[in-house]
Amino acid sequence: MADLIVAAVQMDAQVGMVETNLGRATELVEQAAGQGAKLVVLPELFSTGYAYTDRNFDLSEPLSGTTGTWIIETARRLGVHLVGSLPAQVDGKAHIVAMLAAPDGRNWLYRKNHVAMWENCYFERGSEPLVAETDLGRIGLLICWDQVFADLAR
């Protein structure tokens, strides 16, 4: 089995500054890809920032919106598998989601199952785990608080 270089990106996402955050994420993902990463993972709500405020209702996007499109196009352009988390409208409800995009355009969507504390005021819970069958192998997605629930990781 070949070695796999994975990059976990940390960035200071400014609340509500989607274009600024996407610009910074572009720089960081390009840097990771330039250093050989084939899987790049961005932080929760990287494009919108994170705050407990009613602004969350306005920041929630359709999956085909600015951030979802950016994730898919960036994965394709850089030839990487890219994971980004965003507040998304799915079936008419706001969720915190993680989108995994492959370089060939395939993508998978995970809805955060265990929204924590005040997130419950803004976001619906997902109900299903996700394991994506990718060219890199099987990739399971979790977001933040999901990690403490062993049944979901299994």
Side-chain angles (χ1 to χ4, degrees):
M1 181 175 183
D3 290 339
L4 173 63
I5 298 174
V6 178
V9 173
Q10 286 294 329
M11 60 180 275
D12 183 16
Q14 303 299 310
V15 175
M17 305 291 290
V18 174
E19 292 303 321
T20 299
N21 294 332
L22 290 177
R24 180 66 178 138
T26 297
E27 294 170 5
L28 295 168
V29 175
E30 286 174 348
Q31 179 182 357
Q35 294 175 358
K38 293 298 179 193
L39 174 60
V40 182
V41 182
L42 292 159
E44 183 177 11
L45 303 180
F46 79 98
S47 65
T48 60
Y50 193 94
Y52 295 130
T53 172
D54 285 350
R55 246 178 122 182
N56 287 319
F57 296 119
D58 297 327
L59 294 172
S60 183
E61 304 177 26
L63 293 172
S64 61
T66 302
T67 303
T69 300
W70 179 90
I71 293 168
I72 293 167
E73 289 177 357
T74 301
R76 181 176 289 134
R77 178 174 62 84
L78 297 176
V80 299
H81 285 72
L82 179 60
V83 179
S85 170
L86 64 141
Q89 286 291 323
V90 181
D91 299 328
K93 297 179 180 177
H95 291 264
I96 296 175
V97 303
M99 178 184 283
L100 166 61
D104 63 8
R106 288 177 298 153
N107 63 80
W108 299 264
L109 186 71
Y110 170 72
R111 300 177 204 187
K112 186 174 183 178
N113 280 219
H114 298 286
V115 293
M117 300 179 284
W118 291 103
E119 289 173 352
N120 286 285
C121 296
Y122 309 106
F123 303 106
E124 299 291 324
R125 295 174 180 269
S127 61
E128 300 294 325
L130 176 79
V131 178
E133 298 286 343
T134 75
D135 294 340
L136 301 176
R138 297 175 69 201
I139 299 174
L141 297 176
L142 300 174
I143 303 172
C144 192
W145 190 238
D146 286 333
Q147 70 178 323
V148 301
F149 295 88
D151 61 319
L152 192 53
R154 271 193 297 277

